[in-house]
Amino acid sequence: MSRRPYATDEQYERWFMAECCRCGRRRHKSGTWPDGYVCRTCSDGAVRTRGTCPGCGQDRALPGHHPADGSAICTTCAGFSQTFDCSRCGFEGKLLGGRLCERCTLTDRLTTLLDDGTGRVRQTLTPLLDMLVAMDEPRSGLAWLAMRRGHPGNASQILRRLGLGQLPLTHDAFHELQPWRAAAHLEELLMASGVLPAVDKYICSFQRWLPGHLADIADPEDVKTIKLFATWHVLPHLRGRADRSPITPSIRRFAAEQIKHATTFLQWLGTRDSTLSSCGQLDIDAWFADNTENSRTCLRPFLNWARKSRRCPQALSIPTMKISRRPALSEDERLAALGDC
């Protein structure tokens, strides 16, 4: 039984379905062209085909089929009764609502999202708008705006918050957003357009990862200590390294490993009824004896920082790193560790 109040199944089939003249499948009709009914998939692909028409020699969209050899030709040579010209800019191609091309549609949607509430795009976001509108494939931009529609934190929602000034234009603000992939992509676009200052992508990756790691630590004092270590030691070292040369994935990985091993060490001290401020040489020696050289290398920067910042007894002796012929760490990580010792 049909659930459509306006047509029975038989009527719907007769009115809206037909065999496509291009692919031969029975699909929803998108239009009637000189060579027959065409489905939406074939229609979209045809109007996006561009080149020099073999019939008239003009460079334009080529949705038609030459009756002799089936080659792509323009609407004029194919005898189309309809046109595919944008009602605003005149570009010939795929048309959306209001007979606007994909680029004009993308411009309208971005303009609405980045509106500061006065009917104008927020001035500081104009470079982002210009860059997005100029992309080679505007349909990719439309797909990006429609992605995860209805889910919190999608690209459209973040852009709207930026337009209204509800989201600060800072890297720190983006590092706290979820889902992080959508936030990271938009952050990269803002840097590419010059709205945000350029920062090494691996530093951004580390800063996005850190809040999630801190949220998994149960002890508030451990959270405070790890956050201080990351803020005053790990991040400055990453930024200093980025000033000298691009950060590699192994350097980014070593930065995270320092945080993870420092967290594990603090939790281990807790099992021994000890803390960072009260730990003794026996604690240090026991931990180093029970762990691998890789783990020791990752923990040394934290212990040296804690000792210099007077967060653990300054009299503690931190065993030095043994460099073997086959180091467990990569060359980048080994050099970084040597610089931290």
Side-chain angles (χ1 to χ4, degrees):
M1 182 177 177
S2 174
R3 288 176 293 180
R4 307 180 189 95
Y6 57 88
T8 65
D9 288 342
E10 186 275 331
Q11 289 172 327
Y12 186 86
E13 180 74 17
R14 186 172 71 253
W15 293 344
F16 301 107
M17 306 291 289
E19 183 177 300
C20 177
C21 64
R22 300 293 176 92
C23 66
R25 293 177 293 180
R26 190 165 184 79
R27 307 288 292 274
H28 285 86
K29 300 175 187 176
S30 177
T32 304
W33 288 3
D35 46 339
Y37 293 117
V38 63
C39 69
R40 176 57 56 87
T41 301
C42 292
S43 171
D44 288 354
V47 296
R48 289 189 175 111
T49 302
R50 301 192 66 82
T52 302
C53 176
C56 61
Q58 297 184 36
D59 185 12
R60 53 187 299 193
L62 306 175
H65 268 190
H66 196 286
D69 57 11
S71 59
I73 56 178
C74 69
T75 56
T76 302
C77 293
F80 274 67
S81 60
Q82 65 186 112
T83 63
F84 299 96
D85 298 335
C86 176
S87 61
R88 179 182 300 169
C89 69
F91 179 80
E92 187 179 28
K94 168 69 176 174
L95 299 180
L96 301 176
R99 294 188 60 81
L100 294 177
C101 67
E102 292 170 320
R103 195 174 303 280
C104 287
T105 302
L106 176 62
T107 302
D108 285 354
R109 293 185 184 177
L110 287 171
T111 300
T112 299
L113 291 172
L114 299 178
D115 183 358
D116 62 3
T118 66
R120 298 180 180 179
V121 173
R122 185 179 176 188
Q123 187 174 2
T124 53
L125 297 175
T126 301
L128 175 67
L129 173 67
D130 294 341
M131 185 186 74
L132 291 176
V133 168
M135 66 171 58
D136 293 336
E137 292 289 342
R139 60 174 167 163
S140 298
L142 291 171
W144 173 58
L145 293 179
M147 192 178 300
R148 294 177 54 84
R149 182 176 293 170
H151 290 75
N154 59 56
S156 293
Q157 289 183 6
I158 298 176
L159 288 172
R160 190 73 195 105
R161 291 177 62 192
L162 283 174
L164 294 173
Q166 297 173 350
L167 181 65
L169 273 171
T170 64
H171 287 289
D172 288 341
F174 276 86
H175 298 159
E176 297 175 0
L177 289 179
Q178 292 296 331
W180 69 267
R181 291 185 188 277
H185 179 62
L186 184 51
E187 183 182 18
E188 291 177 2
L189 292 175
L190 288 165
M191 287 190 289
S193 64
V195 176
L196 281 179
V199 177
D200 189 285
K201 66 178 182 179
Y202 289 113
I203 294 181
C204 289
S205 171
F206 176 81
Q207 290 179 297
R208 283 191 294 269
W209 167 82
L210 183 61
H213 177 79
L214 294 174
D216 292 335
I217 302 176
D219 191 322
E221 284 301 315
D222 288 353
V223 172
K224 181 179 178 181
T225 300
I226 296 300
K227 188 172 183 178
L228 288 171
F229 174 57
T231 302
W232 297 109
H233 181 85
V234 179
L235 275 170
H237 274 71
L238 281 176
R239 293 182 180 120
R241 183 62 182 266
D243 290 339
R244 297 191 299 272
S245 60
I247 294 178
T248 62
S250 60
I251 291 293
R252 156 67 177 85
R253 185 169 59 251
F254 181 67
E257 288 299 313
Q258 291 181 68
I259 299 295
K260 292 177 183 177
H261 281 81
T263 303
T264 301
F265 177 72
L266 292 178
Q267 293 171 344
W268 177 82
L269 286 177
T271 65
R272 294 166 65 91
D273 295 326
S274 182
T275 63
L276 183 62
S277 60
S278 64
C279 72
Q281 192 64 48
L282 290 178
D283 295 316
I284 300 295
D285 293 342
W287 196 92
F288 272 73
D290 292 341
N291 286 273
T292 65
E293 185 59 35
N294 180 49
S295 298
R296 299 168 195 158
T297 301
C298 292
L299 184 66
R300 283 190 186 93
F302 172 71
L303 294 177
N304 285 319
W305 168 81
R307 191 172 57 176
K308 291 176 183 177
S309 60
R310 301 179 183 273
R311 296 185 179 278
C312 71
Q314 291 185 292
L316 291 179
S317 175
I318 312 300
T320 58
M321 182 174 70
K322 298 178 182 179
I323 303 178
S324 62
R325 293 183 179 179
R326 292 184 179 181
L329 299 173
S330 70
E331 185 66 16
D332 280 334
E333 291 169 326
R334 188 173 65 85
L335 292 174
L338 285 171
D340 285 332
C341 288

